[in-house]
């Protein structure tokens, strides 16, 4: 799995409007808000199943009704198509 080029990353980010790019980590991140902890954890369960299926796992944190997700590919040393694919699948879950 190769790191994305700058042009590939910029094109991907344009289509992933809610994710922001962290140049220091070569990662993308997005925050999600829910009505309560139960809803946040239900979402995390769904993301966990997607991640396990993809063999690609988020760096994330949860505080009560907020979930922050950061995606990068450790094996590639930066952002790859795996991150973009997982971000799209997460977005498709809806909040
Ligand atoms: C062997 C296994 O597939 C790899 O270690 C996978 C697991 N999940 C992973 N998740 C992420 N985010 N980056 C990786 O490089 C990665 N590698």
């Amino acid at each position: 799995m190769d790191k994305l080029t700058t042009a590939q990353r910029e094109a991907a980010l344009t289509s992933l409007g809610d994710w922001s790019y962290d140049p220091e980590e070569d990662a993308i991140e997005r925050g999600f808000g829910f009505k309560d902890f139960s809803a946040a954890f239900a979402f995390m369960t769904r993301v966990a199943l997607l991640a396990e299926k993809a063999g690609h796992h988020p760096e994330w944190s949860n505080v009560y009704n907020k979930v922050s997700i950061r995606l990068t590919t450790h094996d590639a040393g930066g952002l790859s198509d795996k991150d973009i694919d997982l971000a799209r699948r997460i977005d498709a879950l809806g909040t």
Side-chain angles (χ1 to χ4, degrees):
M1 181 56 56
D2 292 330
K3 272 176 65 155
L4 298 183
T5 64
T6 302
Q8 287 171 328
R9 182 186 73 237
E10 283 172 359
L13 278 164
T14 302
S15 68
L16 285 173
D18 295 319
W19 293 77
S20 58
Y21 179 61
D22 174 355
E24 284 195 7
E25 303 284 333
D26 200 14
I28 53 173
E29 51 200 15
R30 181 178 170 189
F32 296 83
F34 299 89
K35 82 173 196 308
D36 57 18
F37 175 74
S38 233
F41 201 81
F43 170 77
M44 292 178 80
T45 304
R46 298 173 76 199
V47 172
L49 295 172
L50 286 181
E52 196 54 14
K53 202 164 160 187
H56 196 65
H57 303 88
E59 297 171 17
W60 58 1
S61 66
N62 158 242
V63 178
Y64 181 51
N65 65 337
K66 304 260 192 283
V67 177
S68 311
I69 299 185
R70 165 189 293 262
L71 301 174
T72 189
T73 303
H74 309 117
D75 297 348
L79 204 60
S80 78
D81 269 332
K82 285 190 173 181
D83 302 303
I84 305 305
D85 289 348
L86 186 56
R88 288 196 206 294
R89 286 175 208 278
I90 291 170
D91 283 354
L93 291 175
T95 54

